[in-house]
């Protein structure tokens, strides 16, 4: 209220209240319902601030709560495992495309060696795939992870990675290293809000913080995080939208579990009709004619005689597990939706799922994972470029014109190791139709399987040639028709594939994509 409303409220609270109600009514008539301050939204008080102003007061406590759920919540772990399985999985294969096949193979072989723990990690404890999985997990829980590029001796090339948690950014640092910059949250920014350096806290081996932080230039740092608003500077946990729901669900599960434990305990209550003391029947028992039940327990097949006039009432608490099933399913579905995943991906519950619904959910989940994969492959490409440059400088790769054609030599791609589908027969049939109709090429299909199409052709040719030498008809695919060379040549096979009259390569049992003629079948 304004100053006039305050003066009216001091004299007549009723009139001030009426003025406020009329004002809110007019606002709701000419504005948005979502902006109304009526009875329904009366407790919804919000303000517009920059992302950093909103996040900095909540970042640490949200991260601490997310870590607590990471340690103690199976539902939170289900989300983390789903991301690690599908974003990283079995890892990625490097395909160098420098234009020189011999150099490509040399680089790929050296990269495979470098990805081992002793060569890529300064601690020598994690392989490159393990680092990738940790990055995905830390981004979901902490909001991000810092990776430093360290040029050290030893290993395949003098280049390794050092992983740090976001907690190691020195938030107390305020003095910028360069004039005109600002330090916010331990990161130094220029006038365009571009990071130019990071202030990293220093610890001894036992974890005690040292006095002076270290300054690392941005070119030697990769801050793995997602940016959701232009004004966002630091990270925020990806689990923040679902943290409260995960905790509520955990508390509910704990309560139901305790109740079920109580329900599993069957007890007896002895109703006694005779007094425990008195006269007249003192010879019937040790306690005034009554049987002493203290210390007695129920056992399978037990037969026990009660005292005269005593009765038994069974105490059998009713459980709530059946009623909890629907609630838990709804909660897990909301938690998964909050993280962009389907219910099946989070709960691993496939009851009621059909092939079509499971396939559709898997495709939708893939679109969610794609965002994370793009960020992860950007990091991998930056690491690969540093690896290649270190290899050239150290003499591992002999490339005389590397600096003149640097971008060409750095050209590469990543092939993700594929996962098996629910129904391989249907997937194989779909691939066959896509290949025959031109919707996919042989290169596309092999890339989806995590293979290089040239290597696949070479392997096929090797198998066909070996089979021909051993007198076994291995067939051979004629691309575009889905049939084998043996079927096309008809009974009796055909001429030898290396027959000069046909111009075929030895052991080559199929026509290359885009070819016009058919290759004869391998002679059995």
């Amino acid at each position: 209220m304004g100053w006039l409303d305050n003066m009216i409220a001091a004299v007549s609270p009723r009139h001030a209240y009426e003025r406020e109600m009329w004002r809110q009514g007019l606002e709701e008539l000419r504005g948005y319902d979502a902006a109304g301050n009526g009875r329904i939204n009366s407790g919804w008080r919000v303000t517009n601030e920059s992302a950093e102003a909103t996040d900095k007061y909540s970042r640490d406590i949200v991260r601490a709560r997310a870590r607590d759920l990471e340690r103690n919540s199976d539902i939170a772990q289900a989300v983390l495992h789903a991301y690690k399985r599908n974003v990283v999985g079995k890892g990625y294969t490097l395909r160098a495309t420098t234009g020189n096949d011999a150099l490509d193979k040399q680089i790929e072989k050296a990269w495979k060696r470098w990805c081992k723990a002793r060569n890529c990690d300064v601690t020598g404890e994690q392989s490159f795939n393990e680092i990738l999985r940790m990055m995905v997990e830390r981004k979901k829980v902490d909001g991000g992870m810092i990776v430093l590029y360290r040029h050290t001796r030893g290993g395949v090339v003098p280049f390794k990675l050092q992983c740090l948690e976001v907690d190691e950014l020195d938030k107390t640092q305020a003095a910028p290293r360069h004039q005109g910059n600002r330090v916010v949250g331990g990161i130094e920014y220029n006038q365009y809000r571009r990071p130019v350096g990071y202030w990293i806290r220093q610890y001894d081996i036992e974890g005690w913080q040292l006095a002076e932080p270290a300054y690392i230039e941005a070119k030697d740092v990769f801050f793995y995080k997602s940016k959701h608003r232009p004004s966002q500077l630091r990270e925020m946990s990806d689990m923040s939208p679902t943290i409260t729901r995960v905790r509520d669900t955990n508390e509910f599960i704990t309560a139901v579990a305790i109740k079920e434990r109580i329900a599993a305990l069957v007890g007896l209550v002895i109703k006694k009709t005779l007094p425990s003391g008195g006269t007249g029947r003192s010879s019937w028992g040790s306690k005034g004619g009554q049987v002493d039940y203290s210390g007695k327990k129920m056992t399978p097949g037990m037969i026990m005689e009660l005292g005269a006039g005593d009765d038994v009432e069974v105490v059998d608490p009713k459980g709530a597990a059946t009623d909890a099933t629907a609630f838990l399913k709804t909660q897990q579905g909301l938690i998964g939706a909050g993280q962009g995943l389907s219910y099946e991906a989070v709960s691993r519950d496939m009851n009621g799922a059909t092939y079509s619904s499971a396939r559709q959910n898997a495709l939708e989940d893939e679109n969610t994972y794609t965002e994370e994969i793009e960020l992860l492959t950007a990091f991998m490409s930056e690491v690969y470029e540093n690896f290649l440059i270190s290899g050239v400088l150290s003499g591992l790769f002999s490339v005389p014109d590397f600096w003149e054609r640097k971008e060409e030599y750095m050209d590469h791609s990543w092939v993700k190791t594929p996962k098996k589908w629910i129904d391989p027969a249907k997937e194989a049939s779909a691939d066959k139709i896509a290949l025959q109709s031109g919707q996919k090429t042989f290169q596309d299909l092999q890339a989806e399987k995590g293979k290089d199409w040239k290597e696949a052709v070479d392997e096929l040719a090797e198998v066909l040639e070996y089979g021909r030498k051993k007198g076994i008809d291995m067939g051979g695919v004629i691309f575009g028709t889905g049939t084998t060379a043996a079927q096309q040549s008809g009974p009796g096979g055909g001429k030898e594939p290396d027959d000069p009259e046909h111009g075929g390569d030895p052991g080559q049992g199929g026509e290359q994509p885009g070819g016009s003629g058919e290759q004869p079948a391998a002679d059995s």
Side-chain angles (χ1 to χ4, degrees):
M1 295 187 298
W3 63 271
L4 180 59
D5 294 315
N6 292 330
M7 293 180 61
I8 295 175
V11 178
S12 175
R14 183 175 67 85
H15 286 87
Y17 177 80
E18 290 176 352
R19 282 172 56 85
E20 181 64 21
M21 291 300 100
W22 275 101
R23 181 181 294 106
Q24 293 182 7
L26 291 175
E27 290 178 355
E28 293 177 357
L29 287 175
R30 64 174 180 263
Y32 290 91
D33 291 341
N37 292 319
R39 178 177 56 85
I40 296 177
N41 295 332
S42 59
W44 196 350
R45 302 298 182 186
V46 294
T47 58
N48 285 317
E49 295 179 322
S50 68
E52 184 59 24
T54 303
D55 295 348
K56 65 182 179 181
Y57 298 111
S58 304
R59 182 181 295 118
D60 291 344
I61 187 65
V62 169
R63 181 167 66 247
R65 289 176 176 175
R67 287 175 176 174
D68 178 69
L69 293 178
E70 177 191 14
R71 293 188 295 267
N72 301 304
S73 171
D74 44 11
I75 297 178
Q77 280 293 331
V79 175
L80 299 179
H81 284 306
Y83 268 87
K84 288 191 292 184
R85 283 195 311 270
N86 292 275
V87 175
V88 181
K90 297 180 181 179
Y92 294 79
T93 302
L94 170 68
R95 297 300 181 196
T97 54
T98 63
N100 185 329
D101 291 341
L103 180 60
D104 290 345
K105 292 182 179 180
Q106 182 187 7
I107 292 175
E108 292 169 4
K109 185 177 181 180
W111 171 262
K112 189 175 182 179
R113 288 173 51 211
W114 181 83
C115 288
K116 295 181 179 179
R118 69 184 67 178
N119 297 321
C120 70
D121 183 11
V122 292
T123 66
E125 296 179 339
Q126 290 183 297
S127 67
F128 191 60
N129 282 341
E130 290 174 328
I131 291 177
L132 296 180
R133 295 188 188 99
M134 184 174 65
M135 291 176 66
V136 172
E137 186 171 14
R138 298 274 43 91
K139 180 174 175 294
K140 298 300 292 182
V141 177
D142 300 345
M145 195 181 88
I146 300 172
V147 182
L148 305 183
Y149 301 145
R150 296 300 197 183
H151 300 279
T152 62
R153 295 183 179 181
V156 179
V157 295
F159 170 67
K160 294 183 180 181
L161 304 177
Q162 182 180 4
C163 301
L164 302 178
E165 294 185 340
V166 292
D167 308 64
E168 299 187 54
L169 287 171
D170 189 1
K171 296 185 298 182
T172 63
Q173 186 68 28
R177 190 180 182 92
H178 303 88
Q179 187 176 3
N181 294 339
R182 289 192 60 188
V183 178
V184 179
I187 305 176
E188 184 172 332
Y189 297 89
N190 63 11
Q191 57 180 332
Y192 303 108
R193 295 183 179 177
R194 178 171 181 168
V196 296
Y198 294 77
W199 292 93
I200 307 296
R201 293 177 179 175
Q202 299 299 295
Y203 301 87
D204 64 12
I205 194 170
E206 295 181 351
W208 295 99
Q209 183 176 348
L210 303 179
E212 294 297 328
Y215 181 83
I216 310 296
E217 295 185 7
K219 65 181 181 64
D220 294 323
V221 180
F222 192 97
F223 195 173
Y224 185 72
K225 65 180 179 63
S226 290
K227 188 172 183 177
H228 302 287
R229 292 178 59 184
S231 57
Q232 179 181 344
L233 299 180
R234 286 279 305 271
E235 78 293 341
M236 177 57 74
S237 172
D238 290 349
M239 295 289 290
S240 55
T242 55
I243 281 179
T244 55
R245 193 173 300 279
V246 171
R247 176 169 171 78
D248 290 343
T249 306
N250 286 338
E251 294 294 322
F252 175 79
I253 294 174
T254 301
V256 171
I258 295 175
K259 189 172 183 179
E260 289 300 311
R261 289 172 61 184
I262 296 175
L265 303 175
V266 178
L268 298 177
V269 175
I270 307 297
K271 295 182 176 180
K272 297 184 178 182
T273 58
L274 295 177
S276 58
T279 61
R281 297 185 180 181
S282 60
S283 61
W284 286 8
S286 61
K287 289 187 178 181
Q290 297 294 301
V291 176
D292 185 7
Y293 301 107
S294 61
K296 292 183 171 60
K297 298 182 180 179
M298 293 182 64
T299 59
M302 181 188 72
I303 300 176
M304 184 178 71
E305 184 178 354
L306 301 179
D310 291 349
D311 192 11
V312 175
E313 181 175 336
V314 178
V315 179
D316 187 8
K318 301 299 181 183
T322 303
D323 299 333
T325 302
F327 175 78
L328 289 178
K329 189 170 184 178
T330 301
Q331 291 293 91
Q332 286 182 300
L334 292 173
I335 292 169
Q339 295 298 317
L341 303 178
S342 60
Y343 166 76
E344 290 80 8
V346 175
S347 67
R348 307 299 296 275
D349 178 15
M350 297 299 174
N351 290 331
T354 63
Y355 173 80
S356 299
S357 63
R359 187 72 166 86
Q360 183 62 36
N361 283 334
L363 292 175
E364 294 296 330
D365 292 341
E366 282 296 320
N367 293 332
T368 299
Y369 300 133
T370 297
E371 300 179 15
E372 202 73 28
I373 291 173
E374 288 179 357
L375 182 58
L376 196 66
T377 51
F379 165 73
M380 291 191 298
S381 294
E382 190 168 310
V383 171
Y384 169 70
E385 292 175 0
N386 279 273
F387 162 81
L388 186 58
I389 292 175
S390 298
V392 172
L393 293 175
S394 64
L396 178 62
F397 307 126
S398 179
V399 188
D401 57 343
F402 176 81
W403 303 109
E404 290 77 12
R405 301 170 52 194
K406 179 180 175 182
E407 295 300 325
E408 297 179 27
Y409 282 115
M410 284 188 172
D411 195 16
H412 67 282
S413 62
W414 300 101
V415 179
K416 189 174 184 293
T417 303
K419 57 184 179 181
K420 296 181 180 180
W421 287 110
I422 301 170
D423 192 333
K426 290 185 178 181
E427 298 299 330
S429 178
D431 289 344
K432 177 181 176 182
I433 295 173
L435 184 63
Q436 292 176 349
S437 61
Q439 299 179 53
K440 291 183 180 180
T441 64
F442 182 69
Q443 292 93 321
D444 295 333
L445 295 179
Q446 294 304 315
E448 292 175 359
K449 294 176 173 58
K451 294 184 177 181
D452 180 83
W453 71 275
K454 291 183 179 180
E455 290 183 0
V457 172
D458 292 340
E459 291 174 0
L460 178 61
E462 182 180 357
V463 170
L464 295 176
E465 182 179 4
Y466 185 78
R468 181 180 63 83
K469 291 180 179 179
K470 295 296 183 180
I472 301 175
D473 184 6
M474 303 296 295
V477 178
I478 305 297
F479 299 113
T481 64
T483 59
T484 64
Q487 291 173 327
Q488 292 223 348
S489 61
K495 295 186 178 181
E496 291 287 332
D498 55 346
D499 192 333
E501 183 179 346
H502 288 74
D505 294 333
Q508 199 74 16
E511 172 185 339
Q512 295 296 327
S516 58
E518 297 178 0
Q519 294 288 353
D523 191 359
S524 60

